[in-house]
Amino acid sequence: MAIKNGSILRLATSPDREANSLCNGAQSQNLDVKSESLKQLSSLSRDVAFAQEFISRDGLCILSKILEEEKELGKVMAFTLRAISELMEHGFVSWETFSTTFIHKVVTFVNMNLMDAEITQLSLAILESAVQSDTKLGELVRREVTLDRLVSLLQVPNQEMQIKVMALVIALLQRVGDKEREEMLEYLWKRSMRQFIHKHIIHGWPTLGDEMSHYLYVLQCLSLGLLEPRMKNCMDPNDADQRQHLQTLRLTAFPNEGEEGGHMNSERRRSLCAKEFRKLGFHNSGSPWQDLCFAPPGLLALDNMVYFSTRWPSAYSRFVLENSSREDQHACPFARSSIHLSLILCEILRVGEPASETGQSFLTLFYAQDHCMQEFFCVCIQLLNKTWKEMRATQEDFDKVMNVVKEQISRTLAFAPSTLESFRARIFSLNYSEILKLRQAERVNQDEALSPPVMELRKNLKPELLNLIKQHRLHFLCEGTKFRKISSRRRQDKLWFCRLSPNHKVLHYGDLEDNIDNPPVEVLQDKIPVSNIKNVLTGKDCPHMKEKGSGKQNKDIVEKAFSICYDVDSCLNFIAATHYEFCLWMDGLNTLLGREMTSEYTQNDLEVLLNTELKLRLLDLENIPIPDHAPPIPPRPQNYDYCYKFTSTEA
């Protein structure tokens, strides 16, 4: 009775019979039978019911034995590897099921220069899964697969190969400690991996795709995460190296004074040092280390200052000497500015934040040069000095200047510059007067929108525009969205699709096939009538989020999770790829259920549409002041006898 009228039924062999048949076929001595069985197995392994039946018959042991004993690296090996990869994707058994011999054999496929790229790709995928499982086999992979080999494979002009290599590199980096991760990244950068990614992947691929974007985002997070210990540790006055860094800053800015100090007694030398540290912009000039006792940015601010003084010594000296020649009130304090700027950059670059499981937003600028944070700082500290002069700022204006600099950085990054040179050119052209113009334009628009007549017009336009937004959300649901199945090992290559029918009455969903990017409703097997939807849950209330911990890694997933509850105890669970998709789906579902749209994007879209519509309506009234109140209605006339009498003489 559950079968809908008109549904297309396809007769197929039951999973247990098919599994039994393929188990026997895979062990056949006839090569043709064996090859055909493994081919079918690699295709059917995606099905959950079949996978359970096959694994229960020791199917993985059979496949493992075939892989260990097979000599030929042809189709049989490719089918076997694909079947193992698909079966393990379901997460029914642990990777500890496999022997070290099995992993050694898969590792040899990666380390050999094979003619068949498919075998190498499948081997990389299996090794990534083993590493993600965090078992002893993962340790074995880390020892056997060298970074040199992975860099070589990354340079193979094959996009699918490059994705698999990046996946394994990320898995290896995520499963080691901070010290080992730093060593691995340093080695990869020495092997020009960053330059290759920037030139041949970011700028070489027509479109990156979700998976590669995610791996580049995670690699950026892991690299910037190495700065977290320096950011969270304060300066130790007893540390000789840190004291030496401070002295290097002083001597680079005032080399002549440093030489003269050698002939002075300790009291005069201390007085000279305090004077020079005050010129450098330290608040506690007698004990400059106290300025670096706040974390964040902690020691990262000192690192940035030292890098700037050695990388751009002339610009550093010019900054310090130029400001030390001004009155104290008008001088831009280098040290204080550097500390606050380092804190701003940590916020913008999200240093120390764990990588999201679905994040894809990376900075192309990060891959454009080594030492991204420090190079970024070198550009921005020179911008800060320029902005300080343009604002004719005093010490009391320090916070204002920092806010302007933060706005300049944010507005420039919104244009997604691809190189440090383009970032420098754009941010230096966005001077203080340009910021004032942008702020003024935004303020004028806001002031116009707050006058009583305009507010009344906005109120009248709002229902019509809200209806327009509802239509857009429903159209978005009709277009459909790809959702990812995120397994315990966090691979993101399994997709399913969900879309609303054109009549807005049924939600259709189903697994996404490799060769279909946007399946029509006829292809999607499963459906939920909108009339059957009882509720929509979000976040921690969703059934598939109950087991998620409270760690930072899971927070991003939980925020983009929602579930459609229908019938009695049935739920369809979603994890949106982006916050934008999450908001649009929630708006669309609320519209279908007759509820109010509550997402931030609804408010933003409504504001944009209202402002645009108001500008069009008020176009003819430009530069004409609009009174706050409507003109008064004139009093009634004493009589209504104002009809003009027309005579024949006038004709």
Side-chain angles (χ1 to χ4, degrees):
M1 293 299 292
I3 299 173
K4 302 292 184 183
N5 186 29
S7 296
I8 299 172
L9 303 180
R10 182 171 59 86
L11 293 177
T13 312
S14 63
D16 58 337
R17 178 173 291 189
E18 193 73 70
N20 190 55
S21 171
L22 292 180
C23 274
N24 294 330
Q27 299 175 83
S28 173
Q29 298 300 317
N30 187 317
L31 188 59
D32 292 336
V33 173
K34 185 177 182 179
S35 179
E36 187 60 33
S37 298
L38 289 170
K39 182 179 180 181
Q40 289 183 43
L41 179 60
S42 65
S43 175
L44 290 172
S45 295
R46 295 183 180 185
D47 184 77
V48 177
F50 171 81
Q52 286 177 316
E53 292 290 341
F54 186 79
I55 291 171
S56 68
R57 288 170 169 76
D58 286 334
L60 286 172
C61 293
I62 295 170
L63 294 176
S64 177
K65 187 178 178 183
I66 292 171
L67 187 136
E68 291 171 19
E69 295 177 355
E70 184 67 36
K71 304 295 183 190
E72 294 294 326
L73 299 179
K75 289 295 181 184
V76 169
M77 187 60 72
F79 293 144
T80 306
L81 288 167
R82 186 174 295 281
I84 293 171
S85 179
E86 295 291 351
L87 289 167
M88 292 304 294
E89 185 70 27
H90 298 293
F92 295 138
V93 292
S94 168
W95 279 97
E96 292 176 347
T97 308
F98 295 96
S99 64
T100 54
T101 308
F102 169 84
I103 290 294
H104 273 298
K105 189 72 178 284
V106 178
V107 165
T108 58
F109 296 155
V110 172
N111 289 334
M112 291 167 60
N113 293 318
L114 301 177
M115 295 297 292
D116 191 348
E118 186 183 10
I119 291 178
T120 307
Q121 291 167 25
L122 291 167
S123 300
L124 287 165
I126 287 173
L127 294 181
E128 187 226 344
S129 300
V131 172
Q132 290 280 22
S133 67
D134 208 13
T135 60
K136 292 179 181 178
L137 295 179
E139 289 289 339
L140 180 63
V141 175
R142 283 194 281 274
R143 289 197 306 270
E144 297 289 332
V145 181
T146 64
L147 294 177
D148 278 324
R149 180 58 183 162
L150 291 176
V151 171
S152 301
L153 288 172
L154 185 67
Q155 294 171 355
V156 174
N158 181 322
Q159 292 190 12
E160 194 61 34
M161 178 81 78
Q162 290 170 339
I163 288 174
K164 300 300 182 190
V165 171
M166 285 295 293
L168 182 53
V169 169
I170 296 299
L172 290 168
L173 289 170
Q174 287 180 320
R175 294 295 172 181
V176 295
D178 289 343
K179 186 177 180 182
E180 195 174 349
R181 183 182 299 139
E182 185 175 4
E183 291 172 357
M184 288 171 68
L185 282 169
E186 186 179 350
Y187 185 78
L188 289 171
W189 281 183
K190 280 181 181 176
R191 288 293 315 273
S192 304
M193 180 176 168
R194 177 194 61 74
Q195 292 92 323
F196 181 83
I197 290 173
H198 186 258
K199 183 177 180 181
H200 296 284
I201 295 180
I202 296 176
H203 292 294
W205 288 21
T207 52
L208 282 179
D210 294 346
E211 211 169 349
M212 181 57 83
S213 297
H214 174 70
Y215 294 139
L216 294 178
Y217 155 78
V218 175
L219 184 58
Q220 175 183 303
C221 289
L222 293 173
S223 301
L224 291 174
L226 297 175
L227 301 173
E228 187 178 9
R230 301 291 288 179
M231 180 184 76
K232 290 188 173 179
N233 287 329
C234 302
M235 182 169 176
D236 179 6
N238 299 317
D239 189 297
D241 290 337
Q242 294 174 19
R243 290 203 313 271
Q244 184 58 42
H245 283 324
L246 276 177
Q247 293 302 324
T248 302
L249 281 176
R250 182 180 69 84
L251 294 173
T252 304
F254 309 105
N256 297 329
E257 286 87 338
E259 291 171 9
E260 293 171 6
H263 307 292
M264 299 179 183
N265 59 39
S266 58
E267 187 63 34
R268 288 193 62 191
R269 190 181 300 114
R270 208 166 25 247
S271 173
L272 177 64
C273 288
K275 179 183 175 184
E276 290 174 348
F277 278 122
R278 186 170 62 253
K279 287 181 180 180
L280 274 173
F282 284 95
H283 181 69
N284 299 286
S285 54
S287 304
W289 60 269
Q290 292 182 5
D291 287 33
L292 296 163
C293 281
F294 300 97
L299 289 170
L300 187 58
L302 178 61
D303 294 341
N304 287 338
M305 287 189 280
V306 171
Y307 185 88
F308 179 53
S309 67
T310 53
R311 178 81 169 79
W312 301 94
S314 57
Y316 168 68
S317 300
R318 187 164 59 250
F319 186 117
V320 175
L321 296 175
E322 185 180 290
N323 285 286
S324 61
S325 62
R326 296 178 188 160
E327 295 179 21
D328 287 348
Q329 193 65 13
H330 289 276
C332 176
F334 171 74
R336 185 185 175 194
S337 301
S338 298
I339 292 167
H340 281 75
L341 179 60
S342 296
L343 182 60
I344 288 172
L345 293 180
C346 286
E347 290 175 7
I348 291 174
L349 296 176
R350 299 180 179 180
V351 174
E353 287 189 18
S356 159
E357 292 181 9
T358 56
Q360 296 175 8
S361 56
F362 66 92
L363 281 175
T364 304
L365 196 61
F366 172 80
Y367 293 97
Q369 71 287 307
D370 293 323
H371 311 294
C372 176
M373 165 65 85
Q374 289 77 11
E375 290 289 346
F376 211 32
F377 173 85
C378 291
V379 173
C380 294
I381 193 67
Q382 295 176 70
L383 169 78
L384 192 151
N385 188 39
K386 175 175 173 284
T387 303
W388 183 282
K389 290 187 286 186
E390 289 170 352
M391 293 177 68
R392 298 180 182 177
T394 63
Q395 295 294 327
E396 295 175 356
D397 301 321
F398 183 82
D399 290 337
K400 281 185 188 176
V401 176
M402 297 311 297
N403 286 333
V404 171
V405 170
K406 186 175 182 179
E407 188 175 343
Q408 288 172 313
I409 297 170
S410 300
R411 287 183 183 272
T412 304
L413 287 178
F415 289 98
S418 59
T419 62
L420 193 67
E421 290 71 26
S422 60
F423 172 76
R424 183 197 299 273
R426 185 174 282 278
I427 202 167
F428 272 78
S429 65
L430 189 63
N431 52 35
Y432 179 55
S433 60
E434 287 294 321
I435 292 289
L436 287 179
K437 287 178 186 176
L438 291 169
R439 286 179 175 178
Q440 181 64 25
E442 290 166 2
R443 197 178 297 117
V444 166
N445 291 337
Q446 190 176 5
D447 291 343
E448 283 181 359
L450 293 176
S451 64
V454 175
M455 290 296 288
E456 188 175 349
L457 180 57
R458 283 172 66 93
K459 187 178 178 181
N460 293 334
L461 291 172
K462 194 172 179 181
E464 181 186 345
L465 296 178
L466 270 174
N467 188 53
L468 191 64
I469 294 171
K470 286 180 181 178
Q471 294 302 317
H472 170 262
R473 300 301 191 256
L474 292 175
H475 179 71
F476 179 80
L477 265 61
C478 290
E479 287 290 312
T481 307
K482 289 185 286 189
F483 294 96
R484 297 195 175 277
K485 294 181 179 179
I486 300 180
S487 62
S488 58
R489 63 187 184 88
R490 300 179 185 175
R491 277 185 62 80
Q492 301 188 39
D493 50 5
K494 295 293 182 182
L495 298 170
W496 65 286
F497 198 83
C498 187
R499 71 190 311 164
L500 181 66
S501 62
N503 62 4
H504 303 167
K505 290 185 178 181
V506 181
L507 278 171
H508 298 264
Y509 65 96
D511 290 341
L512 196 62
E513 299 296 332
D514 293 337
N515 56 346
I516 302 176
D517 192 46
N518 193 1
V521 292
E522 294 80 12
V523 175
L524 300 171
Q525 300 284 336
D526 303 300
K527 53 188 175 183
I528 302 172
V530 173
S531 58
N532 289 1
I533 297 176
K534 308 298 181 188
N535 198 9
V536 178
L537 304 175
T538 59
K540 287 282 188 184
D541 297 328
C542 298
H544 59 312
M545 291 293 113
K546 298 288 186 185
E547 299 176 1
K548 287 283 183 183
S550 57
K552 289 182 179 178
Q553 288 88 347
N554 295 321
K555 184 181 176 184
D556 184 69
I557 292 290
V558 172
E559 288 176 350
K560 291 185 279 195
F562 62 99
S563 298
I564 296 174
C565 301
Y566 61 99
D567 293 339
V568 183
D569 295 321
S570 301
C571 284
L572 182 62
N573 300 319
F574 299 76
I575 297 177
T578 63
H579 183 61
Y580 174 75
E581 285 184 2
F582 170 80
C583 289
L584 262 61
W585 266 88
M586 289 308 302
D587 285 344
L589 292 171
N590 282 329
T591 300
L592 288 173
L593 298 175
R595 299 173 184 172
E596 184 182 351
M597 297 183 295
T598 56
S599 80
E600 61 193 73
Y601 284 98
T602 296
Q603 298 304 317
N604 293 342
D605 291 349
L606 182 60
E607 201 63 32
V608 169
L609 289 171
L610 279 171
N611 290 337
T612 306
E613 186 67 23
L614 284 171
K615 285 178 180 177
L616 290 172
R617 299 273 182 121
L618 302 176
L619 203 57
D620 293 335
L621 298 178
E622 195 173 356
N623 298 325
I624 298 175
I626 302 172
D628 288 347
H629 304 286
I633 299 173
R636 292 174 178 273
Q638 295 178 355
N639 62 71
Y640 293 90
D641 187 17
Y642 41 77
C643 178
Y644 183 75
K645 293 181 180 179
F646 183 74
T647 63
S648 58
T649 310
E650 288 177 302

